[in-house]
Amino acid sequence: MAKAREKSGDGGQKRLKRKAAAQELPEPAVADDGATEGGVQPPKAAAFPPGFSISEIKNKQRRHLMFTRWRQQQRKEKLAAKKKLKKEREALGDKAPPKPVPKTIDNQRVYDETTVDPNDEEVAYDEATDEFASYFNRQTSPKILITTSDRPHGRTVRLCEQLSTVIPGSHVYYRRGLALKKIIPQCIARDFTDLIVINEDRKTPNGLILSHLPNGPTAHFKVSSVRLRKEIKRRGKDPTEHAPEIILNNFTTRLGHSIGRMFASLFPHNPQFIGRQVATFHNQRDYIFFRFHRYIFKSEKKVGIQELGPRFTLKLRSLQKGTFDSKYGEYEWVHKPREMDTSRRKFHL
């Protein structure tokens, strides 16, 4: 046992001597080009040759490691270029060139021949003689009937009730087995100007039919992303009975102009600004986003907004002349995805 301890003690002393000798060795001299005295280049963290492709690496772990290093290198180069550009702009001051506008799908939109020109005489004539002329000439006041598909479920019913608080002068009718073709003559006889029908699938609202009475037109929308008031975070108190203001944004084509006028005819002519409520229909890439807000002026330059709900998204499926007629109706426009959606930069509204 004593001999074994002596041997182990000698081995420990030898290891300590080797470590001390290694610490005393001088570091290899490095040349100006980064090479050592032996002419060997030190390995770089992420040095890739010009024709290098990470996908050619067969080892999965090695490929993932090299891809991570390449991403880090790209971020560093982008950040360095950004800092350099910022310093140049600060040095030039007021003489700095304007910032380039980033390319998006919206500003790269394919030009549409039906884009509305406000000074076009033909557009002005059509607006003066279309189905909504009596509303915009203040000859009629909106009176809306909101109903559902046959035997609706709770979520659809609540959406109808909340829409009736957004649109003044609207009435909710719970439909039970009555055909839509029979409802329309009754609405016309009772001086309703518009009919809104909310359809559902699997207890979820998925469609909306908007028919202007008595002569049409009728629009059919797909409904998605429905959020009721209780589902909206940090929402405000329930809306008041004041008539809201309405914002129609980005309806630029002849078709979009017709849809915008249809939405505008749902609300009273004179909004009550004391209520500070705004209903917004925002068109972006043919998706119509509906939001309902209350605003407050915090100062001369700052405004605070609070969403009241509900919110949903509409996608136009068809526009039909006259009132609803699924069998013999004449369609002005029908969305055909395979024929119309050939380019991501082409929009119809």
Side-chain angles (χ1 to χ4, degrees):
M1 290 292 288
K3 288 181 180 180
R5 286 176 185 171
E6 288 176 4
K7 286 182 180 179
S8 62
D10 294 342
Q13 290 177 2
K14 288 178 181 179
R15 281 195 296 272
L16 291 171
K17 287 179 181 180
R18 287 197 202 102
K19 286 183 180 179
Q23 290 175 358
E24 291 175 0
L25 288 173
E27 295 181 358
V30 181
D32 295 336
D33 59 351
T36 59
E37 286 183 344
V40 180
Q41 289 281 354
K44 295 182 180 179
F48 304 106
F52 177 74
S53 177
I54 297 175
S55 60
E56 296 176 1
I57 301 174
K58 295 182 179 180
N59 187 290
K60 185 178 179 180
Q61 293 180 348
R62 185 66 181 172
R63 184 170 63 246
H64 178 71
L65 177 64
M66 297 299 287
F67 178 74
T68 306
R69 289 181 178 177
W70 177 78
R71 289 289 299 271
Q72 290 176 354
Q73 182 182 357
Q74 293 291 105
R75 288 195 198 99
K76 287 180 181 178
E77 291 176 359
K78 189 175 180 180
L79 186 61
K82 195 174 181 180
K83 288 181 178 178
K84 183 181 177 182
L85 185 63
K86 187 178 180 181
K87 288 181 179 179
E88 290 177 357
R89 293 185 66 85
E90 289 176 354
L92 292 172
D94 297 336
K95 296 181 180 179
K99 291 184 178 180
V101 179
K103 290 185 178 180
T104 62
I105 294 179
D106 295 320
N107 61 26
Q108 297 294 313
R109 174 178 179 171
V110 176
Y111 177 74
D112 196 326
E113 295 178 354
T114 62
T115 301
V116 174
D117 182 6
N119 300 322
D120 192 348
E121 295 181 358
E122 184 180 353
V123 174
Y125 176 77
D126 289 344
E127 289 181 356
T129 56
D130 67 358
E131 297 88 347
F132 310 104
S134 59
Y135 166 81
F136 287 98
N137 293 333
R138 298 177 180 265
Q139 296 174 0
T140 59
S141 297
K143 185 181 178 183
I144 319 299
L145 178 67
I146 303 175
T147 186
T148 62
S149 56
D150 191 21
R151 301 187 185 280
H153 292 84
R155 189 172 174 81
T156 306
V157 172
R158 286 194 296 273
L159 178 60
C160 292
E161 291 172 350
Q162 293 181 14
L163 269 181
S164 66
T165 62
V166 173
I167 305 173
S170 58
H171 305 268
V172 179
Y173 172 76
Y174 299 105
R175 181 174 159 198
R176 292 185 179 274
L178 190 62
L180 201 59
K181 289 184 179 180
K182 294 181 180 179
I183 295 176
I184 291 174
Q186 294 180 15
C187 291
I188 296 173
R190 298 178 185 181
D191 297 327
F192 282 100
T193 60
D194 291 274
L195 172 66
I196 298 176
V197 183
I198 298 177
N199 297 318
E200 66 173 23
D201 182 35
R202 298 178 183 178
K203 302 181 181 181
T204 304
N206 73 329
L208 187 144
I209 297 173
L210 176 58
S211 182
H212 186 70
L213 305 176
N215 300 318
T218 301
H220 180 212
F221 300 92
K222 176 187 174 183
V223 180
S224 60
S225 303
V226 178
R227 294 291 180 272
L228 301 177
R229 288 195 178 120
K230 288 186 177 180
E231 301 168 357
I232 297 174
K233 294 181 180 179
R234 296 181 293 277
R235 67 181 180 90
K237 294 181 180 180
D238 291 343
T240 58
E241 296 181 356
H242 298 94
E245 305 166 52
I246 180 170
I247 296 175
L248 301 170
N249 191 19
N250 205 21
F251 294 91
T252 55
T253 64
R254 294 293 293 268
L255 176 64
H257 210 57
S258 299
I259 298 300
R261 287 171 66 84
M262 184 179 287
F263 286 138
S265 64
L266 297 175
F267 294 85
H269 301 97
N270 299 318
Q272 296 173 328
F273 297 100
I274 193 172
R276 297 179 285 108
Q277 297 177 154
V278 182
T280 305
F281 293 90
H282 173 72
N283 172 41
Q284 187 172 359
R285 304 179 191 178
D286 286 349
Y287 287 91
I288 303 169
F289 300 92
F290 173 78
R291 299 292 185 270
F292 191 53
H293 291 93
R294 179 184 291 122
Y295 62 89
I296 184 171
F297 292 102
K298 294 182 177 180
S299 65
E300 294 181 357
K301 296 183 179 180
K302 291 184 179 181
V303 179
I305 60 173
Q306 204 174 34
E307 188 171 1
L308 305 179
R311 70 162 73 161
F312 49 84
T313 305
L314 302 175
K315 174 79 171 177
L316 182 64
R317 292 303 185 199
S318 64
L319 183 65
Q320 182 182 356
K321 291 183 178 180
T323 56
F324 178 79
D325 189 352
S326 58
K327 192 172 183 179
Y328 300 106
E330 182 182 354
Y331 288 88
E332 294 184 26
W333 184 87
V334 179
H335 182 236
K336 298 178 180 179
R338 292 186 179 180
E339 298 177 12
M340 297 180 175
D341 298 345
T342 54
S343 174
R344 291 180 63 197
R345 297 185 293 111
K346 182 173 178 59
F347 309 115
H348 307 286
L349 297 181

